[in-house]
Amino acid sequence: MQLSTQRLLLRTWKAEDRVAFAAMNSDARVMEHFPALLTSAQSDALAQRIELALCESGYGLWALEVPGVAEFIGFAGLSVPRQALPCMPCVEVGWRLAQPYWGYGYASEAARASLEFAFERAGLEEVVSFTALGNHRSRAVMERIGMGNSGEDFDHPAVPSGHAARRHCLYRISRNHWLRSGERAIVTIS
Ligand SMILES: CC(C)(COP(=O)(O)OP(=O)(O)OC[C@H]1O[C@@H](n2cnc3c(N)ncnc32)[C@H](O)[C@@H]1OP(=O)(O)O)[C@@H](O)C(=O)NCCC(=O)NCCS
């Protein structure tokens, strides 16, 4: 299953995506708010986990393509956190884009499509998102798509204590809140 929006294709992953994905995961600007850069092997393993989750549940972290512009710019979509977090059980909306594609509204457009899928297709009642307190670009995406800061800051268990990215904020949006916003981003689902 793939979703198209005005400018984007949210699709399943291709073997060819891995090289660009590894480059992005080894870029210090992209990984500024994560504990470490990923090696190529770690990046491939992450892509494999993402593909498996997409395959198993019919939704997940889709590969992002900008038709006519770039075959792969990163990922966005829905995921179930692997670590034990205070917000669990929950489904997260998340995003990671290669740096040349920041500043075009692509992450927010893909995130809006992901929320629409979550509430209209997957039948979820709530979606959360979380990030390191200092990740202002990611927080701006959350706010742009109508999520609210819950005030439930927490220490992410996968980030070593003492690391600047350990303290996280948690944003939430309910199905009812999303319905009231009237936002729609998906053009087709095929
Ligand atoms: C988080 C991340 C996806 C945000 O990317 P981003 O480009 O800032 O967000 P968007 O794609 O929504 O783009 C919004 C910007 O595009 C601009 N823009 C330009 N053209 C636009 C258009 N046609 N429509 C909408 N916005 C547009 C907006 O004005 C905004 O600019 P601003 O940041 O100067 O205010 C990106 O920084 C990233 O991948 N970071 C590394 C990974 C990461 O931290 N992920 C989150 C971990 S929880």
Side-chain angles (χ1 to χ4, degrees):
M1 190 180 297
Q2 58 181 29
L3 320 180
S4 67
T5 64
Q6 206 179 356
R7 297 178 296 170
L8 302 171
L9 188 59
L10 287 72
R11 58 162 175 78
T12 51
W13 290 61
K14 297 177 185 170
E16 307 89 272
D17 298 333
R18 300 249 176 133
V19 172
F21 190 47
M24 152 183 157
N25 288 326
S26 65
D27 182 336
R29 292 163 302 178
V30 172
M31 301 304 282
E32 180 185 353
H33 300 286
F34 293 86
L37 305 183
L38 299 190
T39 64
S40 170
Q42 288 169 326
S43 177
D44 285 353
L46 174 59
Q48 206 171 1
R49 281 201 304 276
I50 291 174
E51 285 176 56
L52 188 66
L54 251 175
C55 192
E56 279 174 356
S57 59
Y59 63 79
L61 296 171
W62 289 281
L64 291 183
E65 180 173 334
V66 191
V69 176
E71 297 247 320
F72 178 84
I73 66 163
F75 68 69
L78 304 167
S79 70
V80 176
R82 295 165 73 216
Q83 290 86 15
L85 303 179
C87 58
M88 288 176 88
C90 59
V91 175
E92 177 199 10
V93 59
W95 36 75
R96 189 181 303 176
L97 263 55
Q99 204 276 332
Y101 302 102
W102 295 7
Y104 294 95
Y106 292 143
S108 298
E109 188 169 320
R112 287 190 175 101
S114 303
L115 288 185
E116 186 174 341
F117 191 94
F119 294 126
E120 296 252 290
R121 290 285 182 134
L124 302 180
E125 285 302 319
E126 185 185 63
V127 172
V128 305
S129 195
F130 46 84
T131 193
L133 292 186
N135 193 344
H136 298 294
R137 279 189 169 268
S138 195
R139 296 178 69 156
V141 175
M142 295 171 197
E143 281 158 22
R144 235 178 258 126
I145 64 172
M147 302 189 84
N149 188 346
S150 69
E152 302 161 74
D153 294 356
F154 66 98
D155 289 333
H156 198 296
V159 184
S161 61
H163 192 287
R166 184 161 161 90
R167 196 74 184 154
H168 274 52
C169 48
L170 179 77
Y171 283 65
R172 295 179 183 268
I173 185 167
S174 67
R175 182 168 187 277
N176 284 339
H177 184 94
W178 176 80
L179 278 172
R180 281 197 298 275
S181 76
E183 284 207 333
R184 293 291 184 276
I186 299 175
V187 176
T188 58
I189 299 183
S190 54

